[in-house]
Amino acid sequence: MHDKTVTQLAAALKSGELSSRELTSHFLQRIEKADGKLNSFITVTAEQALAKAEAADKARAAGNAEPLTGIPLALKDIFCTQGVKTSCGSKMLDNFIAPYDATVVEKLSAAGTISLGKTNMDEFAMGSSNENSYYGAVKNPWDLSAVPGGSSGGSAAAVAAGLIPAAMGTDTGGSIRQPAAFCGITGLKPTYGRVSRYGIIAYASSLDQAGPMARSAEDCAHLLNVIAGHDVRDSTSMARGVPDYTETLNAPLSGLKIGLPKEYFGDGLDPEVEKAVRDAVKVYESLGATVREVSLPHTHYAIPAYYVIAPAEASSNLSRYDGVRFGHRCDDPTDLIDLYTRSRAEGFGEEVKRRILIGTHTLSEGFFDAYYTKAQKVRRLIRQDFLDAFQEVDVLMGPASPTPAFDLGAKKDPVSMYLQDIYTIAVNLAGIPGISVPAGFAGGRPIGLQILGTHFAEAQLLNVAHQFQQATDWHLKLPAFAEENA
Amino acid sequence: MALEESHVRRAAHLARLAVSDDQASGFVDDLSRILGMVDQLQSIDTKDVAPLAHPLDATQRLRADEVTETNQRDSFQRCAPAVEEGLYLVPRVVE
Amino acid sequence: MQWETVIGLEVHVQLATRSKIFSGASTAFGAEPNTQACAVDLGLPGVLPVLNEQAVAMAVQFGLAVHADITEVSIFDRKNYFYPDLPKGYQTSQMYHPIVGPGDVEITLDDGTTKRIRIHHAHLEEDAGKSLHEDFQGMTGIDLNRAGTPLLEIVSEPDMRNAKEAAAYLKAIHSIVTYLGISDGNMAEGSMRCDVNVSVRPKGQEAFGTRAEVKNVNSFRFVERAIAYEVERQIELIEDGGTVVQETRLFDPDRDETRSMRTKEEANDYRYFPCPDLLPVVLDQAYLDHLRNQLPELPADKRARFESELGLSAYDASVLSASREMAEFFEEVHQVCGDAKQAANWVQGELSGALNRESLSIQNSPVSARQLGELVSRVLDDTINGKAAKQVFQALWNGQGKHADDIIEAKGLKQVTDTGAIEAMIDQVIAESPAQVAQYRDSEPEKRGKMIGYFVGQVMKASRGTANPQQVNGVLKDKLDALL
């Protein structure tokens, strides 16, 4: 069962070949057995899941099944879940039982899916390796000495290891696409404003976006159907119709114009990764697509701009963790300043503090214009690069990350860690959608092909990714770990 | 723009983060490198470029002025560190 | 040295929306602590703000009322600082692109003269919660019911030159917001709060002196007292060779003084930046026109009309137009009785006196405008005289009858105008007062006018107040003079 896609499992549930109860128990057992080695879950909600699975089976028997009724899923621990610990990977929220559900969680629940638990992540989604979690690092099921990527590392590792058929992640600078690439699964970051952010613990509000992580683009289409759409509780979610993303999956690709940004194939790109990406592009050519080189001239300014904008927003977003209404509070505060400074110093990890300090500094008097205003101007130039490119081509393709998954503990210096996100970060600054699909291996570690589209082009991205997956089987490969720990 | 320890101290104070002396010098090193990387931005000419705050050129939607929320104090205060008589407690605030 | 005072006001007005500026929680005053603080108001992880359309409309209405430019694209910013009554660690406000741009307000001073005070801008923001300092085991309690209540902060230019002008400005703002119905203007409940920026400079000097910002000046009276104290403090300080420090001071109404707030270890750095959770607010011309068409008659217009159309004095017109309730009450009395001057006299005289004695606002007047109008009508048509009218008013006030006519009937207050009856009463009084008559006769002619009062009083007493005083006066004079 664990090697099946959501699409296959949904069909098995529909035909009566499987019950949700069986499916849920199966995955709960796998988590129980294998997750000690991966550390991909922070919280497993077995009891609630089994109860919901029974309810799903009853609903199906009564003829009230939705397409995904009874499908088990996992949620990155950044989504607020009523009555369930929502830690955001932080000691700060280790004691936080969310009193409400995020809109995405509500929608998934209304669609009949069953959450088996909350997955590990970099604290407050700040990280590219999942080593910044209060709950410990997550391991990559393809190679336990490698990182799974981050910040949605727990979701990616759990799906790759067959502990869950699909999971929800969030992506602020690559946090869905990069771990999907490192773990050999498919991960979609939708257009900013496509999926409600309500109830998702904010890192950088103008960049954060939730999306599905699964075995295939088709699975992502099913899940996006459920979570996309306007939410009156999120001013930045767009009131725009949601198509059925599964309907266009099989549209032919003949005539598709693919652009290869020359800046995505430069220095620092691992040759094996480059080869895998170029091979993938050849597959597209064989499917009738045309390929040309394009330029995104401000690519190299994306990381500098991001490391002003994201920490600035984060420094403000994380001010609410003050030990007063929820979250960690230090013992015996002597006065107000002691309550604040000690609760926050104890509750936040190193990387979070680093980003709060950068953000606070760059927003402060005397530095605001040189950093923040400048970064926002560069952000416009970066977005314009993409809009110009999409005048010429339909989609852009390139690597999701310059290298395959690196070793745990390999990147001690924050800047060298940040530079890993060179191909993913500009996408968030521009607000466009991107998807990472498995496209090969280097040294036994997966390689991700990133496909980018213009704003609200999710249907096209899913179609383009799905067609690749019809022609290749990279996405069907399972790590040995998945079998050994069955 | 060179970063001094006083900048880090000031940011830590504004952000209400207790930072020990050891940590402060570590943060000075880290932040200096990060800001050094950020300083690449200064090489781009952005004279006629307007800042971009949101990736989509959308405008604010307005909500009808209706009371839609009910009292959930008990539920919300279950995750609070210190409450009494429905109030959140903090060390005495001196005006 | 001659000193000049320079004053600017920042007035925070709580807008009278049903729900909060960014959430669907109620704004009602006086609920149990934290029962009206929803997830958004508490700043729970993951929550997001959505802007209340009514808060926007009210801010725009204010802008239109003060002839201001309404900003086509206004933007919300975050003002970052830590305080326990500020749940998110930032206040959502408008720093760089406020919704209301420059405008002006006309104020009326006690002598009836007017002055134009410029408004720098007005912006929307969210209110904070409240810290309760009663002892909770040595702790402070935080109530966040108020957090997220919409505020319009109205910032004036430093155009006021004395405390009276500042108080008049605050009254003008109060009457505009209450006329518009965008705030209840209740200063005691904190619906309207005021910070005062005060500085002094030698007369004739152009440059401003260093200012102090005085917070917590929350009544018209306090504005005058706080400024008086602050001006004296600053002048004394400078004349003693000191310098004024730019700082925030707190007004203490109990001690009638201002004092420096917590000596902060440094100046604040609020790190304003555009709130990424809210998008630019775009207002088009059609929307502004729609709101403009709905504006009620504003105090300045009403005052002018009361003078020009109703012939009221500048003073009466200003008093009666000061609040919407007062103006509406007056206009109804006028409509019922048909005489503006009499209506004005009764509203400002008998009614206001009674309201003040019992500390009632005009909305809670036991005598309705219609009742008062009917009463005034009976004075105008000579059914009752002024003295009886006061009795009728008192009876209406005490709820002893619904209509003036019923009370006049029941108490037999109908004015006696029958000349025969009046002459008979006068004859009797003259006959019973030989000493006073002799005194009258022996007085200098110019003093007799005064002495007639005694006789009038006696006749009125004999008639139990119902005789027509003018008639009594005339007949008495004739009869007494006939005795000379």
Side-chain angles (χ1 to χ4, degrees):
Chain A
M1 274 183 250
H2 61 270
D3 55 351
K4 298 281 189 291
T5 64
V6 168
T7 313
Q8 290 166 329
L9 293 172
L13 285 169
K14 192 174 179 188
S15 71
E17 189 185 320
L18 260 180
S19 72
S20 177
R21 162 107 211 170
E22 289 170 288
L23 198 54
T24 301
S25 308
H26 172 75
F27 282 106
L28 284 171
Q29 279 161 21
R30 285 184 64 82
I31 294 167
E32 169 82 35
K33 190 149 179 225
D35 202 44
K37 291 178 190 144
L38 285 186
N39 196 28
S40 65
F41 279 82
I42 292 173
T43 304
V44 177
T45 49
E47 254 176 63
Q48 287 116 299
L50 289 169
K52 279 199 163 185
E54 293 206 8
D57 287 333
K58 281 200 187 117
R60 187 173 293 284
N64 296 328
E66 302 276 334
L68 299 186
T69 293
I71 295 288
L73 298 174
L75 302 165
K76 185 177 183 180
D77 208 17
I78 200 168
F79 294 91
C80 282
T81 42
Q82 186 166 14
V84 175
K85 177 164 116 174
T86 302
S87 74
C88 218
S90 182
K91 179 182 176 186
M92 182 59 86
L93 292 177
D94 185 45
N95 60 3
F96 180 63
I97 311 293
Y100 74 105
D101 275 336
T103 297
V104 165
V105 175
E106 269 181 6
K107 287 187 165 200
L108 287 168
S109 192
T113 67
I114 292 152
S115 168
L116 302 200
K118 311 291 293 287
T119 55
N120 205 341
M121 58 183 286
D122 282 304
E123 185 179 5
F124 284 99
M126 298 178 189
S128 311
S129 70
N130 217 121
E131 292 167 297
N132 297 334
S133 169
Y134 173 64
Y135 300 93
V138 178
K139 300 198 173 68
N140 190 320
W142 290 94
D143 183 338
L144 296 180
S145 64
V147 302
S151 65
S152 310
S155 288
V159 173
L163 306 190
I164 196 80
M168 286 297 141
T170 61
D171 189 317
T172 306
S175 284
I176 287 175
R177 292 160 289 153
Q178 184 252 24
F182 280 13
C183 292
I185 64 165
T186 305
L188 171 71
K189 182 207 94 79
T191 306
Y192 182 81
R194 177 76 294 187
V195 176
S196 168
R197 294 188 295 114
Y198 191 82
I200 298 171
I201 297 179
Y203 159 24
S205 312
S206 77
L207 302 162
D208 295 342
Q209 186 64 197
M213 304 173 80
R215 312 208 77 82
S216 70
E218 186 176 20
D219 285 4
C220 289
H222 280 291
L223 290 163
L224 187 62
N225 275 350
V226 173
I227 63 172
H230 179 233
D231 180 4
V232 293
R233 291 174 294 186
D234 175 2
S235 299
T236 64
S237 87
M238 292 299 121
R240 206 186 151 101
V242 179
D244 180 345
Y245 293 104
T246 61
E247 266 182 9
T248 42
L249 288 172
N250 288 310
L253 297 189
S254 59
L256 179 78
K257 286 182 276 182
I258 297 171
L260 302 182
K262 65 177 184 204
E263 293 80 5
Y264 285 25
F265 294 88
D267 287 348
L269 177 60
D270 180 293
E272 286 184 272
V273 173
E274 175 166 3
K275 182 175 184 306
V277 169
R278 293 203 185 273
D279 287 349
V281 171
K282 282 190 194 120
V283 173
Y284 279 104
E285 284 178 302
S286 74
L287 295 173
T290 59
V291 178
R292 58 187 291 189
E293 189 183 86
V294 295
S295 175
L296 301 170
H298 297 93
T299 296
H300 290 283
Y301 299 107
I303 290 177
Y306 177 92
Y307 278 98
V308 174
I309 292 168
E313 293 183 8
S315 70
S316 177
N317 284 335
L318 269 61
S319 291
R320 69 191 61 201
Y321 307 103
D322 59 4
V324 177
R325 297 163 320 287
F326 45 78
H328 178 74
R329 181 181 184 124
C330 65
D331 289 333
D332 307 318
T334 55
D335 58 19
L336 202 51
I337 195 99
D338 184 48
L339 167 71
Y340 287 150
T341 56
R342 214 146 45 84
S343 297
R344 289 166 61 78
E346 292 168 6
F348 292 138
E350 284 301 287
E351 183 60 23
V352 172
K353 287 180 192 172
R354 222 175 264 138
R355 295 196 195 186
I356 288 175
L357 291 173
I358 300 170
T360 305
H361 176 67
T362 54
L363 285 178
S364 69
E365 219 175 303
F367 298 96
F368 179 79
D369 283 332
Y371 287 123
Y372 187 78
T373 309
K374 183 78 183 182
Q376 280 204 325
K377 289 178 173 186
V378 173
R379 182 174 191 179
R380 183 176 294 278
L381 296 174
I382 288 166
R383 185 181 70 164
Q384 197 57 46
D385 282 357
F386 285 109
L387 297 179
D388 291 346
F390 289 124
Q391 294 291 319
E392 296 175 40
V393 297
D394 299 316
V395 293
L396 297 171
M397 288 190 189
S401 172
T403 65
F406 45 87
D407 287 344
L408 284 153
K411 307 232 181 267
K412 298 265 187 252
D413 165 47
V415 173
S416 69
M417 182 72 91
Y418 299 168
L419 295 176
Q420 286 301 304
D421 296 331
I422 176 77
Y423 305 133
T424 49
I425 240 166
V427 171
N428 299 76
L429 291 168
I432 59 170
I435 191 167
S436 175
V437 293
F441 291 88
R445 297 180 186 183
I447 292 167
L449 166 73
Q450 182 177 226
I451 312 167
L452 306 176
T454 195
H455 295 120
F456 298 100
E458 286 81 2
Q460 184 173 40
L461 288 189
L462 289 163
N463 164 227
V464 170
H466 179 68
Q467 290 306 305
F468 182 73
Q469 295 181 336
Q470 296 301 100
T472 61
D473 64 355
W474 299 116
H475 64 295
L476 299 178
K477 305 231 180 279
L478 277 181
F481 180 93
E483 303 305 338
E484 288 157 10
N485 293 278
Chain B
M1 282 172 283
L3 184 86
E4 324 247 324
E5 185 170 326
S6 63
H7 293 130
V8 171
R9 291 255 170 235
R10 181 173 161 73
H13 175 69
L14 288 170
R16 299 295 185 266
L17 278 174
V19 171
S20 70
D21 290 347
D22 279 0
Q23 289 171 317
S25 63
F27 282 131
V28 172
D29 290 347
D30 290 348
L31 268 58
S32 292
R33 264 176 298 155
I34 296 165
L35 292 173
M37 181 265 289
V38 163
D39 279 341
Q40 292 173 56
L41 292 177
Q42 307 308 327
S43 67
I44 317 178
D45 179 9
T46 51
K47 203 165 68 236
D48 298 319
V49 183
L52 181 71
H54 292 280
L56 303 174
D57 297 315
T59 59
Q60 180 64 34
R61 203 169 24 77
L62 302 178
R63 174 178 64 78
D65 180 25
E66 285 160 7
V67 175
T68 53
E69 298 295 325
T70 52
N71 173 21
Q72 294 189 65
R73 184 174 79 182
D74 292 347
S75 157
F76 292 154
Q77 293 194 337
R78 262 195 287 277
C79 56
V83 286
E84 194 175 307
E85 294 174 28
L87 297 161
Y88 294 97
L89 296 188
V90 297
R92 185 177 285 277
V93 177
V94 200
E95 284 280 328
Chain C
M1 190 185 294
Q2 285 268 50
W3 294 93
E4 182 175 52
T5 307
V6 175
I7 303 161
L9 262 58
E10 290 167 22
V11 182
H12 290 83
V13 175
Q14 277 188 343
L15 297 176
T17 54
R18 284 187 281 269
S19 64
K20 293 187 177 171
I21 184 167
F22 298 124
S23 83
S26 168
T27 55
F29 181 81
E32 284 290 299
N34 291 310
T35 55
Q36 288 177 181
C38 73
V40 173
D41 307 327
L42 293 173
L44 289 185
V47 298
L48 296 170
V50 184
L51 182 58
N52 184 333
E53 65 177 0
Q54 200 56 32
V56 171
M58 287 175 167
V60 171
Q61 284 173 308
F62 175 81
L64 294 173
V66 298
H67 329 106
D69 305 328
I70 306 300
T71 312
E72 213 174 304
V73 181
S74 63
I75 290 172
F76 283 94
D77 300 295
R78 291 184 181 176
K79 177 182 182 179
N80 295 285
Y81 66 96
F82 283 85
Y83 206 68
D85 64 13
L86 188 72
K88 300 185 296 295
Y90 58 84
Q91 179 191 32
T92 308
S93 181
Q94 297 185 309
M95 176 65 176
Y96 300 107
H97 303 278
I99 187 161
V100 175
D104 58 65
V105 170
E106 190 181 81
I107 62 168
T108 308
L109 301 168
D110 285 347
D111 62 5
T113 57
T114 60
K115 179 174 176 179
R116 216 151 263 286
I117 305 295
R118 290 170 303 154
I119 286 175
H120 180 271
H121 78 271
H123 65 259
L124 280 168
E125 61 184 26
E126 55 184 341
D127 207 344
K130 281 182 184 165
S131 302
L132 303 173
H133 301 291
E134 291 106 63
D135 199 39
F136 296 98
Q137 309 142 25
M139 309 277 269
T140 291
I142 306 295
D143 174 11
L144 296 171
N145 280 347
R146 198 178 68 176
T149 299
L151 288 180
L152 185 66
E153 181 174 339
I154 304 158
V155 181
S156 83
E157 294 284 358
D159 283 355
M160 288 150 275
R161 292 293 172 268
N162 59 56
K164 293 269 181 228
E165 289 184 6
Y169 169 79
L170 189 59
K171 281 179 188 153
I173 296 294
H174 185 267
S175 73
I176 290 170
V177 300
T178 51
Y179 261 73
L180 291 171
I182 63 173
S183 176
D184 65 17
N186 188 332
M187 296 185 86
E189 286 179 3
S191 305
M192 198 164 139
R193 312 194 286 272
C194 182
D195 300 338
V196 186
N197 288 302
V198 186
S199 65
V200 297
R201 62 181 172 188
K203 226 178 181 118
Q205 178 183 307
E206 200 157 318
F208 292 132
T210 307
R211 66 190 159 87
E213 182 182 2
V214 185
K215 291 203 174 281
N216 195 32
V217 196
N218 294 331
S219 84
F220 300 117
R221 234 165 359 111
F222 292 174
V223 168
E224 294 195 42
R225 282 160 51 185
I227 292 171
Y229 176 87
E230 191 53 27
V231 167
E232 197 176 325
R233 184 187 73 86
Q234 292 186 14
I235 292 174
E236 238 169 67
L237 191 63
I238 299 170
E239 288 183 341
D240 290 351
T243 46
V244 176
V245 191
Q246 182 161 343
E247 62 176 348
T248 305
R249 301 177 69 84
L250 196 68
F251 177 64
D252 181 342
D254 297 330
R255 297 190 187 177
D256 224 351
E257 63 178 28
T258 70
R259 59 170 185 272
S260 188
M261 284 175 80
R262 297 157 270 164
T263 40
K264 294 198 185 91
E265 52 288 33
E266 63 184 294
N268 273 320
D269 183 344
Y270 292 123
R271 291 157 284 136
Y272 284 97
F273 75 106
C275 178
D277 289 328
L278 290 162
L279 300 171
V281 180
V282 178
L283 304 174
D284 61 22
Q285 199 52 50
Y287 176 77
L288 300 186
D289 290 343
H290 166 72
L291 288 179
R292 199 189 310 272
N293 292 336
Q294 290 186 328
L295 285 184
E297 189 182 26
L298 290 161
D301 303 329
K302 235 185 228 304
R303 189 171 60 232
R305 185 169 60 81
F306 285 177
E307 277 190 65
S308 65
E309 282 182 25
L310 304 183
L312 298 186
S313 69
Y315 177 80
D316 285 356
S318 152
V319 171
L320 290 171
S321 60
S323 83
R324 185 174 180 162
E325 290 78 16
M326 174 74 97
E328 282 173 355
F329 197 101
F330 159 71
E331 287 188 285
E332 191 177 344
V333 174
H334 171 223
Q335 204 200 336
V336 173
C337 77
D339 184 312
K341 188 71 201 159
Q342 282 295 323
N345 286 346
W346 274 89
V347 170
Q348 289 180 89
E350 207 63 20
L351 179 72
S352 292
L355 291 171
N356 283 345
R357 271 193 298 281
E358 302 199 12
S359 302
L360 288 173
S361 64
I362 199 156
Q363 300 98 290
N364 299 321
S365 169
V367 179
S368 73
R370 169 151 291 278
Q371 287 175 321
L372 185 58
E374 288 171 356
L375 166 58
V376 177
S377 300
R378 292 296 161 262
V379 177
L380 289 167
D381 68 11
D382 281 339
T383 303
I384 52 173
N385 61 36
K387 195 161 178 209
K390 286 183 183 176
Q391 288 183 54
V392 175
F393 178 84
Q394 206 51 52
L396 286 169
W397 184 273
N398 295 333
Q400 289 166 266
K402 279 211 160 87
H403 299 285
D405 285 344
D406 301 345
I407 294 166
I408 293 167
E409 185 65 36
K411 291 190 181 274
L413 295 174
K414 200 159 182 217
Q415 182 159 254
V416 177
T417 50
D418 169 9
T419 315
I422 289 178
E423 283 189 3
M425 283 189 275
I426 289 174
D427 289 342
Q428 195 178 343
V429 166
I430 289 178
E432 286 169 1
S433 317
Q436 284 79 4
V437 171
Q439 221 179 328
Y440 183 86
R441 200 174 41 215
D442 300 342
S443 294
E444 307 278 319
E446 58 272 21
K447 288 194 177 159
R448 286 183 187 140
K450 222 174 187 181
M451 295 187 64
I452 207 164
Y454 165 77
F455 297 99
V456 174
Q458 291 303 111
V459 175
M460 292 306 289
K461 201 168 163 189
S463 76
R464 288 175 300 106
T466 61
N468 179 314
Q470 283 83 34
Q471 231 177 327
V472 171
N473 237 311
V475 176
L476 249 174
K477 195 165 183 311
D478 291 347
K479 287 199 181 253
L480 285 169
D481 287 352
L483 297 174
L484 295 176

